[in-house]
Amino acid sequence: MVSLTGYTGSQNPILSLGKLDFAEIKDSLRDYLKASDTFKDYDFEGSALTTIMDLLSYNATLYSFYANMVANESFLDTAAKRESILSLIKPLSYIPTSRRSSRAEVILTGTGQTINFGDLFSGGGYQWTPDKEYYVNGSTQVTLLQGNRTDRVANKLFDRGIQHQKFKIEDTAIDTSTLKVFVDEGDGFKEWTHAEDVVGNISGFTSGTSLYYLTGSNDGGYEIFFGDGVLGKLPSHQSQIRFEYLVTAGGEANNVGGFVSQVADVGVLSTATASVGGSNRESLQSIKQNAPLFFQTQGRAVTSGDYVVLLQQKMGSGVLTNVWGGEENDPPNYGRIFISSVASNRQPLVDSQKQEVISTCKDKSLVSIIPEYKDPVLIDIRLSGQLTFDANLSYKTVDEINNLVTRYTAFYPLRAFNDTFRVSDYTSGILDIDAGIIGENIQFHISKTYEASETDKVISVTIPFMNSIRNPEGQIGSVVESLAPFRIDRGSGVKLVSLYDDGLGNIEMWDMSNDNNLGVVGSVDYTAGRVQINDLGAIEDFTIQADPASNSIIAKHNIVFTIKQPDIEVNRIN
């Protein structure tokens, strides 16, 4: 403990430093005064002197707390107030991600009508609008964005006498990816370009480039400002500024599947893809984590981590992304990077979102690198087995334990990409649910489900489990199989069949009506974890299940794990 020698009286008493608690500070002051002959024989508990010491202790505590908070708010790692964090990230050129509009794909019908951004559709209690201009003639697929189109004129004119003049966007629920800025320099409003969208970025800026910069404001909103006549054009004095953007509900508008057109002579035939990808504004924890990573990228993508950070800022938290180099593929594909994305609810993206992902990667990647999008492959984790439940050690019933297991599984933490599922971690959590659960015997399998119908047959599939499959060493049907019989039609009539591996790397088809072997229809690479099935002709949904070689599996590349409802039986004893 650091101490300070005082000069009160002739004794030179010692004052201890480093104590921050109110009582400790008061005790230190009392000891200091008692050690001084100036206040000899004073009653420090009952006299008015104790009130003075209370005031001094309170003042010291107040200033120590204030100094501590000031120090905390001065660093990004420890800052807690939003305005402090937003101020600290400005030198990093990081703009917190705003809300992002949910997107849906619908099939419209019309007879030569043109619809535009701003035209009204409704669905799920929200307003929707086309993302661009479409010509609707017959059946036409259209992407809808959730949001209310807002057209607002700034409440002040551009003043060349004000350096770095900023214009605040009043709506905090804005989707900044839909923002358009128009400037009227006396000859009508003309659209100016966001600096991020200028080809070549700063190398493409000139004194005559009509561009604007977007930045975050300390109150959590957004502001724009213009060039200075060197890096971007300086608007004319007294120019008028106009904004156009969507005000959106963000993630609340996801999973909407029914839409109604409010445009004359345009109807909605069907929904091709329910709404996905909407998200709320970026959280403070996310800002603190991503701002330094974004600064490292310097606006360019070199490593796979750079792509992930740049895409997260572009797409928002409603879209989850994984990026890997072609050299990691089997066989390797050099000179390419591969991107896979899903919505936060594990649903695939709509086509316009996929195109936006690729466009962003092309703009940010090195010249010689070619980005390629890969659709995510959803792999289900299926858990089954038994739990031993001692009712004498618990107040819960078997049904309550079943409900707790179901809830535990539904909320089991599992990231979309690059996550590892370990049976040991899962079962450890199961045992912690209740003291009455004294034992477990749980197995797991991985599976992939395909949709098929008489009008949309599945002829062949390639299942990249990307985790080694247990080698059965010649034992038939023990490792890879169809989860249940399903119907096929390969031109010789409808049959009910099942698929099994023969233990030697072949997939055989069996007719369930007469138990006949219809031959080899595919193969299994046990080491690579890849299943190939050909000449299938499936006309109803089917699931292929495999037994992993390890109790730990990893979601590599474009693999996304989901956990199915567990089939776990609770066996009660006592």
Side-chain angles (χ1 to χ4, degrees):
M1 179 68 67
V2 180
S3 59
L4 177 69
T5 302
Y7 294 95
T8 303
S10 59
Q11 301 298 319
N12 294 336
I14 301 298
L15 181 64
S16 297
L17 303 178
K19 295 181 178 180
L20 302 180
D21 181 73
F22 178 87
E24 291 180 344
I25 293 174
K26 184 176 179 180
D27 289 342
S28 179
L29 288 174
R30 183 188 300 110
D31 294 342
Y32 176 83
L33 295 175
K34 283 182 177 181
S36 170
D37 56 5
T38 303
F39 295 95
K40 192 173 182 180
D41 298 328
Y42 271 73
D43 182 3
F44 291 96
E45 296 298 332
S47 68
L49 199 56
T50 188
T51 302
I52 296 176
M53 287 192 296
D54 283 343
L55 288 173
L56 291 173
S57 300
Y58 170 76
N59 185 67
T61 303
L62 178 65
Y63 273 95
S64 65
F65 173 79
Y66 177 76
N68 182 64
M69 293 304 297
V70 168
N72 284 342
E73 295 300 312
S74 299
F75 298 95
L76 187 59
D77 284 344
T78 54
K81 298 182 67 175
R82 190 173 190 92
E83 53 265 36
S84 300
I85 294 172
L86 295 178
S87 178
L88 290 167
I89 65 173
K90 282 189 175 180
L92 304 179
S93 300
Y94 185 74
I95 304 173
T97 306
S98 70
R99 290 189 181 188
R100 287 292 186 260
S101 300
S102 189
R103 303 190 194 192
E105 289 180 338
V106 297
I107 307 299
L108 303 183
T109 180
T111 55
Q113 285 78 24
T114 299
I115 58 174
N116 298 282
F117 177 79
D119 287 342
L120 182 60
F121 290 74
S122 58
Y126 301 99
Q127 293 185 357
W128 303 76
T129 184
D131 65 335
K132 60 181 179 180
E133 180 182 297
Y134 291 90
Y135 179 70
V136 181
N137 190 22
S139 297
T140 306
Q141 182 165 303
V142 171
T143 298
L144 297 180
L145 299 177
Q146 189 282 314
N148 304 324
R149 179 178 176 271
T150 302
D151 199 324
R152 189 187 299 275
V153 176
N155 56 11
K156 58 185 176 182
L157 301 176
F158 185 81
D159 188 344
R160 285 198 169 189
I162 302 176
Q163 289 189 345
H164 307 299
Q165 185 180 13
K166 294 181 179 180
F167 294 84
K168 183 172 177 56
I169 301 171
E170 299 299 331
D171 292 296
T172 57
I174 180 179
D175 177 353
T176 57
S177 68
T178 65
L179 175 65
K180 294 182 179 180
V181 175
F182 301 86
V183 179
D184 182 2
E185 298 182 284
D187 54 353
F189 282 107
K190 295 180 180 179
E191 185 176 355
W192 285 39
T193 305
H194 185 202
E196 286 290 322
D197 298 330
V198 176
V199 177
N201 287 348
I202 193 169
S203 63
F205 298 173
T206 68
S207 60
T209 305
S210 299
L211 59 84
Y212 69 92
Y213 299 86
L214 178 68
T215 185
S217 58
N218 287 346
D219 62 357
Y222 295 90
E223 299 171 326
I224 70 158
F225 61 95
F226 297 95
D228 56 2
V230 178
L231 295 177
K233 181 180 178 181
L234 190 67
S236 301
H237 187 61
Q238 298 298 293
S239 293
Q240 198 170 29
I241 313 301
R242 180 167 67 88
F243 306 111
E244 179 185 289
Y245 51 85
L246 287 183
V247 174
T248 178
E252 296 178 5
N254 288 335
N255 302 314
V256 174
F259 300 90
V260 177
S261 171
Q262 306 296 327
V263 182
D265 301 321
V266 174
V268 179
L269 277 180
S270 62
T271 300
T273 307
S275 59
V276 297
S279 62
N280 299 322
R281 71 175 182 174
E282 189 171 8
S283 66
L284 293 182
Q285 186 59 41
S286 177
I287 293 172
K288 293 166 70 172
Q289 176 181 337
N290 289 327
L293 297 176
F294 176 82
F295 182 71
Q296 290 178 10
T297 70
Q298 294 293 300
R300 285 294 176 199
V302 178
T303 68
S304 59
D306 294 342
Y307 285 98
V308 171
V309 171
L310 293 170
L311 285 171
Q312 181 170 341
Q313 191 191 39
K314 180 70 174 180
M315 305 299 293
S317 60
V319 175
L320 309 175
T321 301
N322 189 33
V323 180
W324 68 97
E327 71 279 359
E328 298 179 28
N329 285 350
D330 182 18
N333 195 340
Y334 299 105
R336 292 177 181 266
I337 57 104
F338 294 87
I339 309 102
S340 187
S341 299
V342 291
S344 55
N345 61 357
R346 302 294 205 273
Q347 295 300 308
L349 305 186
V350 300
D351 289 342
S352 63
Q353 289 171 314
K354 297 175 186 178
Q355 293 166 5
E356 189 172 355
V357 167
I358 289 297
S359 176
T360 301
C361 291
K362 285 181 178 179
D363 291 341
K364 301 299 183 181
S365 63
L366 301 177
V367 175
S368 60
I369 301 298
I370 301 173
E372 183 175 326
Y373 187 85
K374 288 287 187 181
D375 284 318
V377 177
L378 301 181
I379 299 296
D380 296 324
I381 298 173
R382 296 179 178 271
L383 297 146
S384 60
Q386 301 82 35
L387 295 179
T388 302
F389 176 60
D390 188 344
N392 291 334
L393 301 177
S394 175
Y395 295 102
K396 295 182 175 64
T397 66
V398 170
D399 287 340
E400 289 175 327
I401 294 297
N402 274 318
N403 291 335
L404 288 173
V405 170
T406 299
R407 179 177 175 81
Y408 167 76
T409 304
F411 291 94
Y412 188 79
L414 200 61
R415 297 194 306 271
F417 296 104
N418 291 328
D419 202 0
T420 299
F421 176 82
R422 297 181 178 87
V423 178
S424 58
D425 292 342
Y426 176 84
T427 55
S428 176
I430 288 282
L431 295 173
D432 289 338
I433 288 178
D434 188 85
I437 302 175
I438 60 174
E440 54 81 19
N441 182 20
I442 295 177
Q443 302 83 39
F444 85 111
H445 303 274
I446 51 179
S447 67
K448 172 66 178 170
T449 299
Y450 292 90
E451 296 180 351
S453 66
E454 293 182 0
T455 57
D456 189 15
K457 292 183 180 181
V458 173
I459 304 301
S460 64
V461 295
T462 301
I463 311 175
F465 287 117
M466 292 194 184
N467 287 271
S468 295
I469 298 172
R470 182 173 62 83
N471 194 326
E473 298 178 354
Q475 186 176 355
I476 298 175
S478 62
V479 175
V480 179
E481 60 186 1
S482 55
L483 194 60
F486 60 98
R487 293 182 302 133
I488 67 164
D489 185 355
R490 299 196 290 181
S492 59
V494 176
K495 292 182 174 66
L496 186 67
V497 302
S498 289
L499 303 179
Y500 301 96
D501 75 291
D502 65 356
L504 300 174
N506 300 309
I507 300 291
E508 296 179 339
M509 179 182 289
W510 290 75
D511 188 336
M512 302 308 293
S513 64
N514 53 25
D515 203 26
N516 282 340
N517 187 340
L518 300 179
V520 175
V521 293
S523 61
V524 183
D525 185 332
Y526 298 110
T527 302
R530 183 167 52 246
V531 177
Q532 177 68 45
I533 304 175
N534 304 307
D535 192 23
L536 193 55
I539 59 173
E540 70 174 342
D541 299 352
F542 63 97
T543 299
I544 304 299
Q545 177 175 280
D547 186 3
S550 170
N551 284 332
S552 297
I553 55 175
I554 304 174
K556 303 174 185 175
H557 297 174
N558 58 333
I559 299 297
V560 177
F561 288 150
T562 59
I563 302 181
K564 302 296 286 186
Q565 179 72 27
D567 181 19
I568 298 176
E569 180 183 1
V570 179
N571 296 324
R572 174 177 172 172
I573 61 174
N574 299 328

